[in-house]
Amino acid sequence: MADKQKPKLRLSPAERRSLLEDAACACIARGGIRDFTVDKVVAEAGVSRGLITHHFGSMDGLLAAVYSRMYHDWLTVMATPRPGLSRIEAMIEALVSPALFGREVLKIWLTLWGEIAINPVLRDTHRQLYGDYRASIMLALSEAAHANGRQIDAETVATAFICLIDGFGVQRCVEPALLSEEEARAACWAFLRPYIGDQGVAVR
Amino acid sequence: MADKQKPKLRLSPAERRSLLEDAACACIARGGIRDFTVDKVVAEAGVSRGLITHHFGSMDGLLAAVYSRMYHDWLTVMATPRPGLSRIEAMIEALVSPALFGREVLKIWLTLWGEIAINPVLRDTHRQLYGDYRASIMLALSEAAHANGRQIDAETVATAFICLIDGFGVQRCVEPALLSEEEARAACWAFLRPYIGDQGVAVR
DNA sequence: GCTGATACTATACAACCGTTCAGCAAGGAA
DNA sequence: TTCCTTGCTGAACGGTTGTATAGTATCAGC
């Protein structure tokens, strides 16, 4: 409050775009796609109505930017190595970490999925980005299976695993109390154990 | 087309409500929550604008009706016994059947989840109905595990299994080509096998 | 300091939003 | 037939939607 002394600066396009994406995320997390409106977003960002069109061309443009930003952030967190943990362990820890498992983030994802399902333009963007996500999971799975001397159909397992993760997201959004971080982690390992073994980690 | 010769009949409230719910489902499946509007729904149903308020009080009322109708249909299909199949087998077959696994149906669910996540009233309705869903899955799991002489924590397994199913729905909506009915069935069994065994069914 | 590019504001606009309400008309009860 | 409940219509309302656009403010290059 006290530090918000009207900067009213003239920002670089990259900075302003980022601020508007932040505001859009906040609106979507609060009220879903119905709160993704010009008035709500510019009020959240503290700018004038014209800025969205100026920087993104349209609301669809802003939504696409939000989507690819979310994907980028997701992949970044997921690909961050954690000292002492194998790739698959680090990945699961990332998946249940607040940065990816937080309800606000997941509510945004849920909204975005709903839009992808009906918006062909967004679906094309999704197809391009989604490959990286899928590939990184397949890599971690293959590595883990190989380390335990097993052979798996990484593609099939990865698909089902991704579904499980997405389902966690849905469940956390509609009934957060039913699935804690701890339970999600355990469910991940229970799912993967038949394929890749225990990885020598104490799992409960 | 030819058979739509303007019946303009005066229907019973139950019939008219059902027709409006149908129309609302069609709109939501087509364009998500943004196409759930008075104009779109009444155009789809071929009635006047005032009818929604007359029968449901508000658009929120109609959405709640759509939600509970979807839940009721879902449970009905899932609880239908299939000759020669155990309860858990019948349940999985139902889950991958067109009635529940069809993309149109799943797009409606995806939209509804998004609304539940942000609408407290809808969330309360969800809590009440959701218990039945959860309970029926737990029952089937316990039964199957017991038949194979195993002991499981049905609650934990059911939660994870529900997540997997929800994730199937998400995946089918955003990228239908990646998950066929056959693959979903196989993934279900692969997930459940460690808990309840094979049930003596040929699974591939 | 001057100039031009552009970040940004603010208004205007037509279309659409959900809800209200007065009135019409169908059909059972008398 | 007459009456009255009620399914149903359609216009009207105030508010919100996304976009276009004219105008202002700021900064980089000169």
Side-chain angles (χ1 to χ4, degrees), chain A residues 38-39 42 49-53 56-61:
Chain A
V38 176
D39 286 334
V42 299
R49 282 175 61 78
L51 251 200
I52 289 178
T53 310
F56 296 95
S58 69
M59 285 300 278
D60 275 349

PDB file of all heavy atoms in Angstrom, chain A residues 38-39 42 49-53 56-61, chain C residues 10-14, chain D residues 17-21:
ATOM      1  N   VAL A  38     -11.518  -7.238 -20.096  1.00  0.00           N
ATOM      2  CA  VAL A  38     -10.692  -6.039 -20.231  1.00  0.00           C
ATOM      3  C   VAL A  38     -10.727  -5.224 -18.945  1.00  0.00           C
ATOM      4  O   VAL A  38      -9.680  -4.893 -18.362  1.00  0.00           O
ATOM      5  CB  VAL A  38     -11.184  -5.183 -21.413  1.00  0.00           C
ATOM      6  CG1 VAL A  38     -10.387  -3.892 -21.474  1.00  0.00           C
ATOM      7  CG2 VAL A  38     -11.048  -5.952 -22.710  1.00  0.00           C
ATOM      8  N   ASP A  39     -11.912  -4.927 -18.478  1.00  0.00           N
ATOM      9  CA  ASP A  39     -12.042  -4.081 -17.293  1.00  0.00           C
ATOM     10  C   ASP A  39     -11.339  -4.668 -16.079  1.00  0.00           C
ATOM     11  O   ASP A  39     -10.626  -3.968 -15.355  1.00  0.00           O
ATOM     12  CB  ASP A  39     -13.527  -3.854 -16.973  1.00  0.00           C
ATOM     13  CG  ASP A  39     -14.165  -2.887 -17.954  1.00  0.00           C
ATOM     14  OD1 ASP A  39     -13.440  -2.056 -18.509  1.00  0.00           O
ATOM     15  OD2 ASP A  39     -15.382  -2.980 -18.183  1.00  0.00           O
ATOM     16  N   VAL A  42      -7.334  -4.693 -16.552  1.00  0.00           N
ATOM     17  CA  VAL A  42      -6.672  -3.389 -16.475  1.00  0.00           C
ATOM     18  C   VAL A  42      -6.820  -2.791 -15.078  1.00  0.00           C
ATOM     19  O   VAL A  42      -5.937  -2.077 -14.610  1.00  0.00           O
ATOM     20  CB  VAL A  42      -7.214  -2.411 -17.544  1.00  0.00           C
ATOM     21  CG1 VAL A  42      -6.963  -2.961 -18.930  1.00  0.00           C
ATOM     22  CG2 VAL A  42      -8.673  -2.088 -17.312  1.00  0.00           C
ATOM     23  N   ARG A  49      -7.646   1.131 -20.286  1.00  0.00           N
ATOM     24  CA  ARG A  49      -8.265   0.068 -21.088  1.00  0.00           C
ATOM     25  C   ARG A  49      -7.515  -0.225 -22.386  1.00  0.00           C
ATOM     26  O   ARG A  49      -7.453  -1.360 -22.844  1.00  0.00           O
ATOM     27  CB  ARG A  49      -9.700   0.462 -21.427  1.00  0.00           C
ATOM     28  CG  ARG A  49     -10.664   0.263 -20.286  1.00  0.00           C
ATOM     29  CD  ARG A  49     -12.042   0.805 -20.660  1.00  0.00           C
ATOM     30  NE  ARG A  49     -12.636   0.152 -21.806  1.00  0.00           N
ATOM     31  CZ  ARG A  49     -13.212  -1.032 -21.770  1.00  0.00           C
ATOM     32  NH1 ARG A  49     -13.254  -1.692 -20.642  1.00  0.00           N
ATOM     33  NH2 ARG A  49     -13.746  -1.547 -22.846  1.00  0.00           N
ATOM     34  N   GLY A  50      -6.961   0.839 -22.974  1.00  0.00           N
ATOM     35  CA  GLY A  50      -6.364   0.657 -24.289  1.00  0.00           C
ATOM     36  C   GLY A  50      -5.102  -0.192 -24.324  1.00  0.00           C
ATOM     37  O   GLY A  50      -4.714  -0.685 -25.378  1.00  0.00           O
ATOM     38  N   LEU A  51      -4.484  -0.383 -23.173  1.00  0.00           N
ATOM     39  CA  LEU A  51      -3.159  -1.010 -23.158  1.00  0.00           C
ATOM     40  C   LEU A  51      -3.153  -2.456 -23.650  1.00  0.00           C
ATOM     41  O   LEU A  51      -2.187  -2.911 -24.250  1.00  0.00           O
ATOM     42  CB  LEU A  51      -2.571  -0.955 -21.757  1.00  0.00           C
ATOM     43  CG  LEU A  51      -1.403   0.018 -21.569  1.00  0.00           C
ATOM     44  CD1 LEU A  51      -0.611  -0.353 -20.333  1.00  0.00           C
ATOM     45  CD2 LEU A  51      -0.487  -0.004 -22.771  1.00  0.00           C
ATOM     46  N   ILE A  52      -4.221  -3.175 -23.375  1.00  0.00           N
ATOM     47  CA  ILE A  52      -4.251  -4.588 -23.779  1.00  0.00           C
ATOM     48  C   ILE A  52      -4.209  -4.703 -25.292  1.00  0.00           C
ATOM     49  O   ILE A  52      -3.399  -5.448 -25.854  1.00  0.00           O
ATOM     50  CB  ILE A  52      -5.504  -5.289 -23.211  1.00  0.00           C
ATOM     51  CG1 ILE A  52      -5.356  -5.450 -21.699  1.00  0.00           C
ATOM     52  CG2 ILE A  52      -5.687  -6.651 -23.867  1.00  0.00           C
ATOM     53  CD1 ILE A  52      -6.544  -6.076 -21.028  1.00  0.00           C
ATOM     54  N   THR A  53      -5.057  -3.943 -25.955  1.00  0.00           N
ATOM     55  CA  THR A  53      -5.046  -3.965 -27.414  1.00  0.00           C
ATOM     56  C   THR A  53      -3.695  -3.501 -27.940  1.00  0.00           C
ATOM     57  O   THR A  53      -3.172  -4.051 -28.904  1.00  0.00           O
ATOM     58  CB  THR A  53      -6.154  -3.049 -27.964  1.00  0.00           C
ATOM     59  OG1 THR A  53      -7.371  -3.354 -27.313  1.00  0.00           O
ATOM     60  CG2 THR A  53      -6.314  -3.241 -29.461  1.00  0.00           C
ATOM     61  N   PHE A  56      -1.148  -6.522 -27.006  1.00  0.00           N
ATOM     62  CA  PHE A  56      -1.462  -7.902 -27.383  1.00  0.00           C
ATOM     63  C   PHE A  56      -2.427  -7.997 -28.559  1.00  0.00           C
ATOM     64  O   PHE A  56      -2.747  -9.098 -28.996  1.00  0.00           O
ATOM     65  CB  PHE A  56      -2.044  -8.657 -26.189  1.00  0.00           C
ATOM     66  CG  PHE A  56      -1.084  -8.815 -25.049  1.00  0.00           C
ATOM     67  CD1 PHE A  56      -1.079  -7.931 -23.995  1.00  0.00           C
ATOM     68  CD2 PHE A  56      -0.167  -9.861 -25.040  1.00  0.00           C
ATOM     69  CE1 PHE A  56      -0.192  -8.067 -22.942  1.00  0.00           C
ATOM     70  CE2 PHE A  56       0.726 -10.015 -23.990  1.00  0.00           C
ATOM     71  CZ  PHE A  56       0.717  -9.106 -22.938  1.00  0.00           C
ATOM     72  N   GLY A  57      -2.897  -6.875 -29.045  1.00  0.00           N
ATOM     73  CA  GLY A  57      -3.780  -6.904 -30.205  1.00  0.00           C
ATOM     74  C   GLY A  57      -5.226  -7.183 -29.839  1.00  0.00           C
ATOM     75  O   GLY A  57      -6.140  -6.544 -30.337  1.00  0.00           O
ATOM     76  N   SER A  58      -5.419  -8.139 -28.956  1.00  0.00           N
ATOM     77  CA  SER A  58      -6.780  -8.498 -28.540  1.00  0.00           C
ATOM     78  C   SER A  58      -6.710  -9.298 -27.256  1.00  0.00           C
ATOM     79  O   SER A  58      -5.621  -9.653 -26.793  1.00  0.00           O
ATOM     80  CB  SER A  58      -7.467  -9.325 -29.625  1.00  0.00           C
ATOM     81  OG  SER A  58      -6.859 -10.584 -29.716  1.00  0.00           O
ATOM     82  N   MET A  59      -7.848  -9.598 -26.694  1.00  0.00           N
ATOM     83  CA  MET A  59      -7.889 -10.419 -25.489  1.00  0.00           C
ATOM     84  C   MET A  59      -7.417 -11.833 -25.781  1.00  0.00           C
ATOM     85  O   MET A  59      -6.799 -12.478 -24.935  1.00  0.00           O
ATOM     86  CB  MET A  59      -9.309 -10.425 -24.923  1.00  0.00           C
ATOM     87  CG  MET A  59      -9.707  -9.137 -24.222  1.00  0.00           C
ATOM     88  SD  MET A  59      -8.644  -8.748 -22.821  1.00  0.00           S
ATOM     89  CE  MET A  59      -9.379  -9.781 -21.543  1.00  0.00           C
ATOM     90  N   ASP A  60      -7.725 -12.324 -26.964  1.00  0.00           N
ATOM     91  CA  ASP A  60      -7.222 -13.646 -27.345  1.00  0.00           C
ATOM     92  C   ASP A  60      -5.699 -13.665 -27.349  1.00  0.00           C
ATOM     93  O   ASP A  60      -5.078 -14.656 -26.939  1.00  0.00           O
ATOM     94  CB  ASP A  60      -7.748 -14.024 -28.738  1.00  0.00           C
ATOM     95  CG  ASP A  60      -9.126 -14.652 -28.664  1.00  0.00           C
ATOM     96  OD1 ASP A  60      -9.569 -14.974 -27.548  1.00  0.00           O
ATOM     97  OD2 ASP A  60      -9.765 -14.815 -29.711  1.00  0.00           O
ATOM     98  N   GLY A  61      -5.112 -12.565 -27.813  1.00  0.00           N
ATOM     99  CA  GLY A  61      -3.656 -12.481 -27.809  1.00  0.00           C
ATOM    100  C   GLY A  61      -3.085 -12.537 -26.406  1.00  0.00           C
ATOM    101  O   GLY A  61      -2.089 -13.225 -26.147  1.00  0.00           O
TER     102      GLY A  61
ATOM    103  P    DA C  10      -6.651   8.330 -17.931  1.00  0.00           P
ATOM    104  OP1  DA C  10      -6.558   9.409 -16.939  1.00  0.00           O
ATOM    105  OP2  DA C  10      -6.861   6.938 -17.501  1.00  0.00           O
ATOM    106  O5'  DA C  10      -7.769   8.709 -18.983  1.00  0.00           O
ATOM    107  C5'  DA C  10      -7.491   9.735 -19.945  1.00  0.00           C
ATOM    108  C4'  DA C  10      -8.635   9.807 -20.943  1.00  0.00           C
ATOM    109  O4'  DA C  10      -8.355   8.946 -22.071  1.00  0.00           O
ATOM    110  C3'  DA C  10      -9.979   9.359 -20.370  1.00  0.00           C
ATOM    111  O3'  DA C  10     -10.985  10.246 -20.823  1.00  0.00           O
ATOM    112  C2'  DA C  10     -10.171   7.963 -20.941  1.00  0.00           C
ATOM    113  C1'  DA C  10      -9.482   8.107 -22.301  1.00  0.00           C
ATOM    114  N9   DA C  10      -9.007   6.848 -22.854  1.00  0.00           N
ATOM    115  C8   DA C  10      -8.547   5.760 -22.161  1.00  0.00           C
ATOM    116  N7   DA C  10      -8.193   4.755 -22.925  1.00  0.00           N
ATOM    117  C5   DA C  10      -8.426   5.216 -24.214  1.00  0.00           C
ATOM    118  C6   DA C  10      -8.249   4.627 -25.477  1.00  0.00           C
ATOM    119  N6   DA C  10      -7.776   3.388 -25.653  1.00  0.00           N
ATOM    120  N1   DA C  10      -8.584   5.363 -26.568  1.00  0.00           N
ATOM    121  C2   DA C  10      -9.058   6.600 -26.382  1.00  0.00           C
ATOM    122  N3   DA C  10      -9.270   7.260 -25.239  1.00  0.00           N
ATOM    123  C4   DA C  10      -8.929   6.507 -24.181  1.00  0.00           C
ATOM    124  P    DT C  11     -12.441  10.217 -20.124  1.00  0.00           P
ATOM    125  OP1  DT C  11     -12.569  11.489 -19.401  1.00  0.00           O
ATOM    126  OP2  DT C  11     -12.642   8.944 -19.405  1.00  0.00           O
ATOM    127  O5'  DT C  11     -13.392  10.246 -21.397  1.00  0.00           O
ATOM    128  C5'  DT C  11     -12.985  11.007 -22.541  1.00  0.00           C
ATOM    129  C4'  DT C  11     -13.470  10.333 -23.806  1.00  0.00           C
ATOM    130  O4'  DT C  11     -12.705   9.138 -24.096  1.00  0.00           O
ATOM    131  C3'  DT C  11     -14.936   9.906 -23.781  1.00  0.00           C
ATOM    132  O3'  DT C  11     -15.640  10.640 -24.767  1.00  0.00           O
ATOM    133  C2'  DT C  11     -14.895   8.405 -24.069  1.00  0.00           C
ATOM    134  C1'  DT C  11     -13.550   8.240 -24.760  1.00  0.00           C
ATOM    135  N1   DT C  11     -12.955   6.886 -24.674  1.00  0.00           N
ATOM    136  C2   DT C  11     -12.683   6.188 -25.832  1.00  0.00           C
ATOM    137  O2   DT C  11     -12.918   6.628 -26.935  1.00  0.00           O
ATOM    138  N3   DT C  11     -12.134   4.942 -25.643  1.00  0.00           N
ATOM    139  C4   DT C  11     -11.832   4.339 -24.433  1.00  0.00           C
ATOM    140  O4   DT C  11     -11.345   3.228 -24.395  1.00  0.00           O
ATOM    141  C5   DT C  11     -12.149   5.113 -23.258  1.00  0.00           C
ATOM    142  C7   DT C  11     -11.875   4.562 -21.907  1.00  0.00           C
ATOM    143  C6   DT C  11     -12.688   6.334 -23.429  1.00  0.00           C
ATOM    144  P    DA C  12     -17.231  10.567 -24.875  1.00  0.00           P
ATOM    145  OP1  DA C  12     -17.704  11.921 -25.207  1.00  0.00           O
ATOM    146  OP2  DA C  12     -17.766   9.845 -23.702  1.00  0.00           O
ATOM    147  O5'  DA C  12     -17.418   9.641 -26.165  1.00  0.00           O
ATOM    148  C5'  DA C  12     -16.504   9.754 -27.247  1.00  0.00           C
ATOM    149  C4'  DA C  12     -16.798   8.657 -28.250  1.00  0.00           C
ATOM    150  O4'  DA C  12     -16.023   7.475 -27.906  1.00  0.00           O
ATOM    151  C3'  DA C  12     -18.265   8.234 -28.293  1.00  0.00           C
ATOM    152  O3'  DA C  12     -18.692   8.116 -29.642  1.00  0.00           O
ATOM    153  C2'  DA C  12     -18.273   6.903 -27.541  1.00  0.00           C
ATOM    154  C1'  DA C  12     -16.888   6.358 -27.867  1.00  0.00           C
ATOM    155  N9   DA C  12     -16.369   5.429 -26.862  1.00  0.00           N
ATOM    156  C8   DA C  12     -16.376   5.583 -25.504  1.00  0.00           C
ATOM    157  N7   DA C  12     -15.831   4.587 -24.849  1.00  0.00           N
ATOM    158  C5   DA C  12     -15.440   3.707 -25.851  1.00  0.00           C
ATOM    159  C6   DA C  12     -14.804   2.466 -25.820  1.00  0.00           C
ATOM    160  N6   DA C  12     -14.435   1.848 -24.692  1.00  0.00           N
ATOM    161  N1   DA C  12     -14.551   1.841 -27.001  1.00  0.00           N
ATOM    162  C2   DA C  12     -14.929   2.458 -28.130  1.00  0.00           C
ATOM    163  N3   DA C  12     -15.536   3.630 -28.278  1.00  0.00           N
ATOM    164  C4   DA C  12     -15.761   4.214 -27.090  1.00  0.00           C
ATOM    165  P    DC C  13     -20.229   7.931 -30.001  1.00  0.00           P
ATOM    166  OP1  DC C  13     -20.521   8.721 -31.197  1.00  0.00           O
ATOM    167  OP2  DC C  13     -21.012   8.126 -28.757  1.00  0.00           O
ATOM    168  O5'  DC C  13     -20.285   6.399 -30.401  1.00  0.00           O
ATOM    169  C5'  DC C  13     -19.338   5.885 -31.349  1.00  0.00           C
ATOM    170  C4'  DC C  13     -19.462   4.377 -31.397  1.00  0.00           C
ATOM    171  O4'  DC C  13     -18.698   3.796 -30.318  1.00  0.00           O
ATOM    172  C3'  DC C  13     -20.910   3.882 -31.240  1.00  0.00           C
ATOM    173  O3'  DC C  13     -21.324   3.216 -32.413  1.00  0.00           O
ATOM    174  C2'  DC C  13     -20.873   2.957 -30.030  1.00  0.00           C
ATOM    175  C1'  DC C  13     -19.379   2.648 -29.874  1.00  0.00           C
ATOM    176  N1   DC C  13     -18.994   2.398 -28.465  1.00  0.00           N
ATOM    177  C2   DC C  13     -18.242   1.267 -28.130  1.00  0.00           C
ATOM    178  O2   DC C  13     -17.892   0.490 -29.023  1.00  0.00           O
ATOM    179  N3   DC C  13     -17.918   1.045 -26.830  1.00  0.00           N
ATOM    180  C4   DC C  13     -18.319   1.907 -25.893  1.00  0.00           C
ATOM    181  N4   DC C  13     -17.972   1.660 -24.640  1.00  0.00           N
ATOM    182  C5   DC C  13     -19.082   3.069 -26.216  1.00  0.00           C
ATOM    183  C6   DC C  13     -19.395   3.274 -27.494  1.00  0.00           C
ATOM    184  P    DA C  14     -22.857   3.201 -32.757  1.00  0.00           P
ATOM    185  OP1  DA C  14     -23.076   4.012 -33.953  1.00  0.00           O
ATOM    186  OP2  DA C  14     -23.620   3.449 -31.521  1.00  0.00           O
ATOM    187  O5'  DA C  14     -23.056   1.669 -33.148  1.00  0.00           O
ATOM    188  C5'  DA C  14     -22.013   0.973 -33.828  1.00  0.00           C
ATOM    189  C4'  DA C  14     -21.919  -0.443 -33.299  1.00  0.00           C
ATOM    190  O4'  DA C  14     -21.395  -0.413 -31.942  1.00  0.00           O
ATOM    191  C3'  DA C  14     -23.262  -1.180 -33.217  1.00  0.00           C
ATOM    192  O3'  DA C  14     -23.080  -2.473 -33.756  1.00  0.00           O
ATOM    193  C2'  DA C  14     -23.576  -1.193 -31.729  1.00  0.00           C
ATOM    194  C1'  DA C  14     -22.172  -1.271 -31.142  1.00  0.00           C
ATOM    195  N9   DA C  14     -22.077  -0.808 -29.754  1.00  0.00           N
ATOM    196  C8   DA C  14     -22.745   0.236 -29.172  1.00  0.00           C
ATOM    197  N7   DA C  14     -22.443   0.407 -27.905  1.00  0.00           N
ATOM    198  C5   DA C  14     -21.516  -0.590 -27.633  1.00  0.00           C
ATOM    199  C6   DA C  14     -20.810  -0.939 -26.474  1.00  0.00           C
ATOM    200  N6   DA C  14     -20.935  -0.299 -25.309  1.00  0.00           N
ATOM    201  N1   DA C  14     -19.953  -1.990 -26.552  1.00  0.00           N
ATOM    202  C2   DA C  14     -19.838  -2.627 -27.720  1.00  0.00           C
ATOM    203  N3   DA C  14     -20.444  -2.386 -28.885  1.00  0.00           N
ATOM    204  C4   DA C  14     -21.277  -1.346 -28.769  1.00  0.00           C
TER     205       DA C  14
ATOM    206  P    DT D  17     -17.155  -6.653 -17.849  1.00  0.00           P
ATOM    207  OP1  DT D  17     -16.651  -7.835 -17.110  1.00  0.00           O
ATOM    208  OP2  DT D  17     -16.545  -5.325 -17.627  1.00  0.00           O
ATOM    209  O5'  DT D  17     -17.074  -6.992 -19.409  1.00  0.00           O
ATOM    210  C5'  DT D  17     -17.700  -8.181 -19.907  1.00  0.00           C
ATOM    211  C4'  DT D  17     -17.763  -8.162 -21.416  1.00  0.00           C
ATOM    212  O4'  DT D  17     -18.741  -7.189 -21.849  1.00  0.00           O
ATOM    213  C3'  DT D  17     -16.495  -7.700 -22.120  1.00  0.00           C
ATOM    214  O3'  DT D  17     -15.590  -8.775 -22.197  1.00  0.00           O
ATOM    215  C2'  DT D  17     -17.030  -7.315 -23.497  1.00  0.00           C
ATOM    216  C1'  DT D  17     -18.421  -6.765 -23.166  1.00  0.00           C
ATOM    217  N1   DT D  17     -18.534  -5.277 -23.199  1.00  0.00           N
ATOM    218  C2   DT D  17     -18.853  -4.659 -24.378  1.00  0.00           C
ATOM    219  O2   DT D  17     -19.016  -5.263 -25.417  1.00  0.00           O
ATOM    220  N3   DT D  17     -18.954  -3.297 -24.290  1.00  0.00           N
ATOM    221  C4   DT D  17     -18.782  -2.518 -23.163  1.00  0.00           C
ATOM    222  O4   DT D  17     -18.906  -1.303 -23.196  1.00  0.00           O
ATOM    223  C5   DT D  17     -18.447  -3.242 -21.967  1.00  0.00           C
ATOM    224  C7   DT D  17     -18.232  -2.492 -20.682  1.00  0.00           C
ATOM    225  C6   DT D  17     -18.344  -4.567 -22.035  1.00  0.00           C
ATOM    226  P    DG D  18     -14.081  -8.482 -22.420  1.00  0.00           P
ATOM    227  OP1  DG D  18     -13.353  -9.730 -22.210  1.00  0.00           O
ATOM    228  OP2  DG D  18     -13.732  -7.283 -21.636  1.00  0.00           O
ATOM    229  O5'  DG D  18     -13.993  -8.093 -23.973  1.00  0.00           O
ATOM    230  C5'  DG D  18     -14.351  -9.052 -24.955  1.00  0.00           C
ATOM    231  C4'  DG D  18     -14.145  -8.466 -26.337  1.00  0.00           C
ATOM    232  O4'  DG D  18     -14.961  -7.274 -26.452  1.00  0.00           O
ATOM    233  C3'  DG D  18     -12.716  -8.030 -26.640  1.00  0.00           C
ATOM    234  O3'  DG D  18     -12.412  -8.313 -27.998  1.00  0.00           O
ATOM    235  C2'  DG D  18     -12.729  -6.535 -26.354  1.00  0.00           C
ATOM    236  C1'  DG D  18     -14.148  -6.154 -26.720  1.00  0.00           C
ATOM    237  N9   DG D  18     -14.652  -5.032 -25.909  1.00  0.00           N
ATOM    238  C8   DG D  18     -14.607  -4.906 -24.546  1.00  0.00           C
ATOM    239  N7   DG D  18     -15.132  -3.798 -24.103  1.00  0.00           N
ATOM    240  C5   DG D  18     -15.558  -3.150 -25.244  1.00  0.00           C
ATOM    241  C6   DG D  18     -16.208  -1.894 -25.402  1.00  0.00           C
ATOM    242  O6   DG D  18     -16.540  -1.084 -24.533  1.00  0.00           O
ATOM    243  N1   DG D  18     -16.462  -1.605 -26.753  1.00  0.00           N
ATOM    244  C2   DG D  18     -16.133  -2.428 -27.792  1.00  0.00           C
ATOM    245  N2   DG D  18     -16.459  -1.988 -29.007  1.00  0.00           N
ATOM    246  N3   DG D  18     -15.536  -3.597 -27.670  1.00  0.00           N
ATOM    247  C4   DG D  18     -15.276  -3.897 -26.367  1.00  0.00           C
ATOM    248  P    DT D  19     -10.964  -7.974 -28.555  1.00  0.00           P
ATOM    249  OP1  DT D  19     -10.615  -9.015 -29.521  1.00  0.00           O
ATOM    250  OP2  DT D  19     -10.073  -7.669 -27.417  1.00  0.00           O
ATOM    251  O5'  DT D  19     -11.231  -6.621 -29.353  1.00  0.00           O
ATOM    252  C5'  DT D  19     -12.289  -6.580 -30.300  1.00  0.00           C
ATOM    253  C4'  DT D  19     -12.427  -5.191 -30.874  1.00  0.00           C
ATOM    254  O4'  DT D  19     -12.951  -4.297 -29.862  1.00  0.00           O
ATOM    255  C3'  DT D  19     -11.120  -4.553 -31.365  1.00  0.00           C
ATOM    256  O3'  DT D  19     -11.312  -4.144 -32.712  1.00  0.00           O
ATOM    257  C2'  DT D  19     -10.901  -3.358 -30.434  1.00  0.00           C
ATOM    258  C1'  DT D  19     -12.310  -3.049 -29.972  1.00  0.00           C
ATOM    259  N1   DT D  19     -12.405  -2.383 -28.645  1.00  0.00           N
ATOM    260  C2   DT D  19     -13.074  -1.184 -28.543  1.00  0.00           C
ATOM    261  O2   DT D  19     -13.598  -0.640 -29.491  1.00  0.00           O
ATOM    262  N3   DT D  19     -13.108  -0.657 -27.271  1.00  0.00           N
ATOM    263  C4   DT D  19     -12.551  -1.197 -26.125  1.00  0.00           C
ATOM    264  O4   DT D  19     -12.650  -0.626 -25.041  1.00  0.00           O
ATOM    265  C5   DT D  19     -11.870  -2.455 -26.308  1.00  0.00           C
ATOM    266  C7   DT D  19     -11.231  -3.136 -25.136  1.00  0.00           C
ATOM    267  C6   DT D  19     -11.829  -2.982 -27.545  1.00  0.00           C
ATOM    268  P    DA D  20     -10.072  -3.550 -33.558  1.00  0.00           P
ATOM    269  OP1  DA D  20     -10.078  -4.232 -34.849  1.00  0.00           O
ATOM    270  OP2  DA D  20      -8.859  -3.547 -32.713  1.00  0.00           O
ATOM    271  O5'  DA D  20     -10.524  -2.038 -33.784  1.00  0.00           O
ATOM    272  C5'  DA D  20     -11.897  -1.738 -33.984  1.00  0.00           C
ATOM    273  C4'  DA D  20     -12.094  -0.232 -34.052  1.00  0.00           C
ATOM    274  O4'  DA D  20     -12.249   0.288 -32.708  1.00  0.00           O
ATOM    275  C3'  DA D  20     -10.923   0.539 -34.676  1.00  0.00           C
ATOM    276  O3'  DA D  20     -11.429   1.583 -35.491  1.00  0.00           O
ATOM    277  C2'  DA D  20     -10.161   1.087 -33.459  1.00  0.00           C
ATOM    278  C1'  DA D  20     -11.284   1.279 -32.447  1.00  0.00           C
ATOM    279  N9   DA D  20     -10.852   1.108 -31.053  1.00  0.00           N
ATOM    280  C8   DA D  20     -10.095   0.093 -30.542  1.00  0.00           C
ATOM    281  N7   DA D  20      -9.873   0.193 -29.249  1.00  0.00           N
ATOM    282  C5   DA D  20     -10.532   1.344 -28.887  1.00  0.00           C
ATOM    283  C6   DA D  20     -10.685   2.004 -27.649  1.00  0.00           C
ATOM    284  N6   DA D  20     -10.148   1.561 -26.513  1.00  0.00           N
ATOM    285  N1   DA D  20     -11.406   3.142 -27.633  1.00  0.00           N
ATOM    286  C2   DA D  20     -11.944   3.585 -28.784  1.00  0.00           C
ATOM    287  N3   DA D  20     -11.872   3.051 -29.999  1.00  0.00           N
ATOM    288  C4   DA D  20     -11.143   1.918 -29.983  1.00  0.00           C
ATOM    289  P    DT D  21     -10.401   2.431 -36.438  1.00  0.00           P
ATOM    290  OP1  DT D  21     -11.127   2.662 -37.696  1.00  0.00           O
ATOM    291  OP2  DT D  21      -9.073   1.765 -36.454  1.00  0.00           O
ATOM    292  O5'  DT D  21     -10.244   3.809 -35.669  1.00  0.00           O
ATOM    293  C5'  DT D  21     -11.346   4.320 -34.931  1.00  0.00           C
ATOM    294  C4'  DT D  21     -10.901   5.498 -34.095  1.00  0.00           C
ATOM    295  O4'  DT D  21     -10.616   5.063 -32.732  1.00  0.00           O
ATOM    296  C3'  DT D  21      -9.613   6.184 -34.572  1.00  0.00           C
ATOM    297  O3'  DT D  21      -9.759   7.589 -34.440  1.00  0.00           O
ATOM    298  C2'  DT D  21      -8.557   5.663 -33.628  1.00  0.00           C
ATOM    299  C1'  DT D  21      -9.374   5.620 -32.344  1.00  0.00           C
ATOM    300  N1   DT D  21      -8.795   4.788 -31.255  1.00  0.00           N
ATOM    301  C2   DT D  21      -8.995   5.171 -29.953  1.00  0.00           C
ATOM    302  O2   DT D  21      -9.642   6.151 -29.641  1.00  0.00           O
ATOM    303  N3   DT D  21      -8.414   4.349 -29.032  1.00  0.00           N
ATOM    304  C4   DT D  21      -7.659   3.207 -29.283  1.00  0.00           C
ATOM    305  O4   DT D  21      -7.187   2.557 -28.370  1.00  0.00           O
ATOM    306  C5   DT D  21      -7.491   2.882 -30.671  1.00  0.00           C
ATOM    307  C7   DT D  21      -6.684   1.664 -31.050  1.00  0.00           C
ATOM    308  C6   DT D  21      -8.062   3.673 -31.584  1.00  0.00           C
TER     309       DT D  21
END
